[in-house]
Amino acid sequence: MTDARGSIERFNAAWERGDLAEVSACLAEDVTYCPNAWDGPAATVRGRAAVTAAFADQLGPGEGPVLGAVWADGERALCEWQWPPAGDGTVLRGLDVYRVRDGLIVAKDVYGKITAPA
């Protein structure tokens, strides 16, 4: 049985520490990553090496998203996240949707939106 929640919590902890080697160790060899389409059509990144390279400049301590709770059922998991407010008060918020197999992430899809200040 897959512990999807534990797998994503391990991944998130490594992400927040900026531990790229541990982030990579959480990924299956055949992982796919579909980032949000911030600047045009989204492209799917395939394979552990390519996904690790895509993550290399996104993770680590300091300025970055605050990762929320993880919810899981079977091999599927969700994690909310939110960036600190931008200068204009807008906030980038989103949800990562994961699929886990044998304790490793096989898919990460990112969905996000920018919200205006209240």
Side-chain angles (χ1 to χ4, degrees):
M1 179 174 198
T2 296
D3 177 17
R5 182 177 179 177
S7 297
I8 302 309
E9 287 174 342
R10 174 181 162 216
F11 175 83
N12 285 352
W15 186 281
E16 289 178 327
R17 287 192 314 272
D19 186 344
L20 187 60
E22 180 67 12
V23 164
S24 184
C26 294
L27 305 175
E29 192 61 43
D30 61 343
V31 65
T32 60
Y33 167 54
C34 297
N36 201 42
W38 308 117
D39 297 313
T44 300
V45 181
R46 298 180 189 282
R48 180 185 291 149
V51 172
T52 299
F55 290 162
D57 64 352
Q58 297 181 31
L59 68 152
E63 186 74 19
V66 174
L67 302 176
V70 175
W71 294 275
D73 186 20
E75 68 176 16
R76 306 281 181 180
L78 304 171
C79 180
E80 293 178 319
W81 49 263
Q82 173 176 310
W83 283 81
D88 64 0
T90 59
V91 175
L92 175 58
R93 298 176 33 217
L95 182 71
D96 290 346
V97 179
Y98 295 92
R99 193 165 49 87
V100 176
R101 179 185 67 228
D102 298 326
L104 298 174
I105 297 168
V106 294
K108 178 181 179 180
D109 292 320
V110 180
Y111 300 90
K113 66 180 179 179
I114 297 173
T115 57

